[in-house]
Amino acid sequence: MDARDTIFIDNDFVTAAATDRIEVVNPATEQTIGSVPDCGAADMDTAVASSVAAFAGEWRDWSPDDRVEALSRFSQALQARSQDLADVITAEVGTPVTQSIMMQVFASTMVLDQYVNVAKNFTWTDHRQGSLGQRVQVNRQPVGVCAGIVPWNVPLFIAAMKLGPVIATGSTMVLKTAPETPLHAQVLGECVREAGLPDGVVNIVSAGREGSEYLVRHPDIDKVSFTGSVATGGIVGGICGEQIKRCTLELGGKSAAIILDDVDLDAVMGDLVMSGLLNSGQACGAQTRMLVPRTRYDEITDALGAAVGAMRTGDPTDPESVFGPLVAKRQQDRVMGYIESGRDQGAVTVVGGGVPADLDTGFYVEPTVFRDVTNDMRIAQEEIFGPELSCIAYDTEDEAVAIANDSDYGLSGSVWTTDHDHAAEIARRVRTGVVAVNSAAILDMASPFGGFKKSGIGRELGPEGLEPFCEIQSVLLPA
């Protein structure tokens, strides 16, 4: 078992003050595979003080080019340790090995590499003509000391989405890992050190709810970047509002895949399934509502059921497994509760709907496809975060758009058709942050990602992802 007493402070692994522990359970074996400190006030104070000192120190004198070079070195260090990271994240999350190396690791380095490209071309200083004839210099300055709070489903990827702009802008960050997935932070910290960043630019701590709230409330934190549930995001946003503290919230989703009646089902079926079930459905942008034209409803729902039923669920270390376990017993229970709710409200199971009979150990749920779902059912309105697809019939495209928009969320979405120009027209009418056409992608590494409505506040990725980590300063100069 990997039992650690340290946290990453000032580019070193130092013994934590906390005596309470967080145990890490492998969701496939149900065995405890490690433990880390459950950091409280003392450790958070240490981490924040280190980031405050770093922000006021030599880091302020680094040029944008210097920061870009460090960011590139950080990406390269992660790439060199890609298999180590993929293996430990598979053990923590349960992501199948065939997906971990790309989805959990290389996607993370792609994010960092895109921020390198964005930062190289970013306008840090802008010169304008003032309204009264004076010259104006507009400076984009680093926002300051940040708290980064990441979820467990794609922990390294989300960390990269936060650390990229922090390093690029010259801010600093205390990164707080999810309780379920803290073990990969050992390698992450080593890669931060290899990047040659000054001490304290990136500190990494582990904590549960109490320590996390203490970090968010800390008076020396200038900005919070949070990814997680709507419920917790509301708490984080409330605290930041009380303290007039900057925050970015990337929250949940209940995204819709609008399948048009001209879709070439054979051409898109693999991507269509994965748009909702990648990482066993444990993705904020999963397209879990399949909006199906009534003229082809039976055909498409049957085809979805057949495709999903043919995919293997099992040991995530087995290359044949497409779906692994859910991250924890509570998540397995939660998803099974939603499946029972769907049946109780009249939805009919096309495939799945239970716990795999051949898997006695592990937090598995059969990938499930429901038909006869209406958009007012719980399974169509609430984020399940598990391997479940709801097939909802529609008669007209206007009705499909209305159903897609009939949600508290607005994170992702997709349109499936052979007419790409028409798909773009449909996409403009869907109130979500990202809409893909004939693709399982829930985001683009070089483009803004974030949500409408309760799916969040602010954007990550692209130039728009740097802006929330900048303060804007106008210097008024004589003509």
Side-chain angles (χ1 to χ4, degrees), residues 378-417:
R378 286 185 64 212
I379 58 173
Q381 286 295 314
E382 299 178 18
E383 186 176 39
I384 296 174
F385 228 63
E388 183 275 341
L389 302 178
S390 294
C391 295
I392 302 171
Y394 71 85
D395 290 304
T396 66
E397 290 183 359
D398 287 345
E399 183 184 6
V401 171
I403 293 171
N405 289 334
D406 182 16
S407 172
D408 289 338
Y409 298 99
L411 187 57
S412 294
S414 57
V415 182
W416 304 80
T417 176

Side-chain angles (χ1 to χ4, degrees), residues 254-315:
K254 194 65 183 177
S255 301
I258 301 176
I259 305 169
L260 299 186
D261 59 8
D262 67 345
V263 66
D264 182 347
L265 212 53
D266 291 337
V268 304
M269 181 54 74
D271 283 338
L272 183 59
V273 168
M274 282 299 129
S275 74
L277 298 182
L278 189 66
N279 205 26
S280 298
Q282 298 173 125
C284 56
Q287 323 286 298
T288 55
R289 290 186 296 153
M290 296 280 157
L291 308 192
V292 183
R294 201 176 301 277
T295 54
R296 298 182 65 183
Y297 189 79
D298 290 341
E299 172 201 356
I300 292 174
T301 55
D302 288 346
L304 279 167
V308 171
M311 295 176 177
R312 179 184 173 88
T313 298
D315 181 356

Side-chain angles (χ1 to χ4, degrees), residues 123-210:
T123 301
W124 300 102
T125 301
D126 182 21
H127 298 277
R128 305 179 187 178
Q129 182 68 43
S131 60
L132 299 178
Q134 78 273 35
R135 292 177 296 131
V136 179
Q137 179 176 301
V138 179
N139 300 320
R140 284 171 175 79
Q141 306 231 20
V143 72
V145 180
C146 306
I149 300 178
V150 302
W152 47 260
N153 60 328
V154 279
L156 183 63
F157 179 73
I158 302 298
M161 291 173 74
K162 302 180 187 311
L163 293 175
V166 161
I167 295 170
T169 60
S171 297
T172 63
M173 175 166 276
V174 178
L175 185 74
K176 203 285 298 181
T177 59
E180 296 83 0
T181 56
L183 298 182
H184 71 282
Q186 177 80 23
V187 179
L188 179 59
E190 291 168 0
C191 292
V192 167
R193 185 163 56 194
E194 290 172 22
L197 294 164
D199 292 356
V201 169
V202 177
N203 294 306
I204 307 173
V205 296
S206 48
R209 181 171 299 177
E210 185 175 333

Side-chain angles (χ1 to χ4, degrees), residues 273-274 276-282 288 304-305 307-315 322-328 331-340 343 348-370 379 384-390:
V273 168
M274 282 299 129
L277 298 182
L278 189 66
N279 205 26
S280 298
Q282 298 173 125
T288 55
L304 279 167
V308 171
M311 295 176 177
R312 179 184 173 88
T313 298
D315 181 356
V322 179
F323 304 111
L326 302 187
V327 76
Q331 196 68 14
Q332 181 190 44
D333 292 343
R334 170 187 170 88
V335 174
M336 287 305 303
Y338 274 108
I339 289 173
E340 290 303 316
R343 291 189 179 118
V348 175
T349 305
V350 179
V351 70
V355 174
D358 60 335
L359 296 172
D360 296 329
T361 303
F363 309 127
Y364 294 93
V365 171
E366 292 175 330
T368 301
V369 177
F370 275 119
I379 58 173
I384 296 174
F385 228 63
E388 183 275 341
L389 302 178
S390 294

